[in-house]
Amino acid sequence: LAGLGRGSSLAGRVRGSASAAHMQRRRASSSGVLCLRAVDMSLAVSDTPPEEDPLADIPAIKMHTADGPVMCLPEEWNKSGVYCCYDKEGAIQYVAMSRKVQVSIENHLQLIGEDQFAVCKARTWDKPSKEDLESTATQWIQYCIDLTGGAPPGNTREVDIWRAKAADLRRGKANVEFATGVGEDKAENEITRLIALHPVLLFIKGTRQSPQCGFTDATVALFDQLEVDYECIDTLDEEHNPGLREGIKTFSVWPTIPQVYVGGEFIGGADVCRELAESGELQETIMEVLATKRRTMSI
């Protein structure tokens, strides 16, 4: 059950009359009548727009707190359903079906900030039929079209972030680096700053896309499997991180690389992280840290 894009079969079914009256309505922006954009040509404003919001009776859940994205989502969202995302101004941004709404929302929260994703509403079922899901999503998209003259931005081809997968973007992230102008003599200060700044930080050899040793490769693969946001810094990059390779060994009192920090605390190297992950302790530690420091992924 994929998100509903403009080119999908479901979005394509949300059509109104193709009459001359409708064509005139699309052209008549100067008269104050809502007009469809070119990307929404396959979706039409109804001749008789709904008088009531079909989502009015669904609780609105805020997606952010003062500390960042929320950690606990409604238990009933751990089911199949349809959800609707709103921005800070209350405008609908995206409507989608999901096999498990919680998982989909967690993915969005890693990628999309509060301005675009402030509130969410969802309707879930224990065992929904295809008709339950499609008819609900169609109704909500149609309501947005009738209200604004266009489909939700995330349901058009022009805005693809709502259909992106955090795991794919995470694998493509660049390394973090020392601040510009920092020399080898300030390496310890910069290490301290970066560890405090990033909840999960891996000191590695190379990049996550191109690890330069087997232990780095294994550690990056492990954190990818954990599906958490993390940052990497290349200890071999003397140009951007002068003094880091030896500096981190002294800082941690640990002779090898990679080294992993979570919540400002040194966890260990590749073997230690693997053992902690096998016992579940690493996941628990990361979740505790992210519960207080969670934020939208920087991409």
Side-chain angles (χ1 to χ4, degrees):
L1 301 175
L4 305 179
R6 186 186 74 89
S8 72
S9 59
L10 178 53
R13 273 185 239 135
V14 187
R15 302 175 188 272
S17 170
S19 62
H22 167 63
M23 296 300 291
Q24 183 178 16
R25 182 165 54 245
R26 283 188 1 226
R27 298 189 192 103
S29 58
S30 60
S31 67
V33 178
L34 294 174
C35 299
L36 291 179
R37 296 173 295 174
V39 295
D40 299 322
M41 292 285 284
S42 64
L43 305 173
V45 176
S46 299
D47 290 326
T48 56
E51 297 181 0
E52 297 183 0
D53 180 355
L55 295 94
D57 63 339
I58 301 176
I61 307 300
K62 292 184 178 180
M63 292 290 100
H64 294 261
T65 68
D67 297 322
V70 296
M71 287 299 299
C72 297
L73 297 172
E75 183 61 32
E76 59 266 27
W77 288 9
N78 194 30
K79 302 177 182 178
S80 297
V82 181
Y83 62 92
C84 182
C85 307
Y86 298 79
D87 65 15
K88 290 186 72 173
E89 304 302 321
I92 296 175
Q93 296 300 300
Y94 187 54
V95 173
M97 302 180 294
S98 175
R99 289 189 178 91
K100 188 169 288 188
V101 171
Q102 274 191 4
V103 173
S104 297
I105 300 305
E106 289 279 356
N107 181 76
H108 295 322
L109 285 172
Q110 293 185 58
L111 300 175
I112 304 171
E114 185 176 8
D115 288 348
Q116 285 73 46
F117 189 22
V119 170
C120 185
K121 293 185 176 185
R123 176 163 289 157
T124 59
W125 295 263
D126 290 324
K127 294 182 179 180
S129 66
K130 182 179 180 182
E131 181 180 359
D132 288 332
L133 298 169
E134 290 192 350
S135 62
T136 299
T138 299
Q139 182 188 33
W140 293 1
I141 292 177
Q142 183 67 64
Y143 173 72
C144 180
I145 295 168
D146 291 337
L147 189 67
T148 68
N155 294 103
T156 68
R157 293 176 181 174
E158 282 65 28
V159 182
D160 57 8
I161 187 65
W162 290 96
R163 298 182 297 280
K165 293 183 179 180
D168 293 339
L169 294 182
R170 190 181 300 120
R171 281 190 287 271
K173 290 179 67 174
N175 284 343
V176 298
E177 298 173 348
F178 280 6
T180 303
V182 171
E184 185 173 344
D185 60 327
K186 300 295 184 181
E188 181 177 346
N189 291 341
E190 193 64 4
I191 290 170
T192 301
R193 183 186 72 83
L194 290 171
I195 289 173
L197 180 62
H198 301 293
V200 182
L201 180 59
L202 280 57
F203 291 84
I204 63 174
K205 294 181 179 180
T207 67
R208 68 183 79 198
Q209 301 86 10
S210 182
Q212 296 302 300
C213 77
F215 291 111
T216 288
D217 191 15
T219 303
V220 167
L222 171 63
F223 276 81
D224 281 341
Q225 292 172 5
L226 296 179
E227 297 185 348
V228 296
D229 192 25
Y230 66 92
E231 303 296 338
C232 295
I233 184 167
D234 185 5
T235 60
L236 301 181
D237 187 355
E238 281 295 319
E239 178 182 356
H240 297 102
N241 309 312
L244 176 59
R245 184 173 185 177
E246 296 305 318
I248 189 60
K249 295 177 182 178
T250 301
F251 186 90
S252 305
V253 194
W254 191 264
T256 59
I257 296 169
Q259 296 185 18
V260 174
Y261 277 79
V262 176
E265 299 294 331
F266 178 54
I267 299 299
D271 292 340
V272 172
C273 286
R274 186 189 69 251
E275 293 171 1
L276 291 174
E278 289 174 351
S279 69
E281 186 176 348
L282 179 59
Q283 295 89 317
E284 291 179 5
T285 300
I286 292 173
M287 287 298 98
E288 289 175 1
V289 168
L290 294 183
T292 59
K293 298 188 177 183
R294 181 171 176 174
R295 59 187 178 181
T296 303
M297 186 190 300
S298 300
I299 56 175

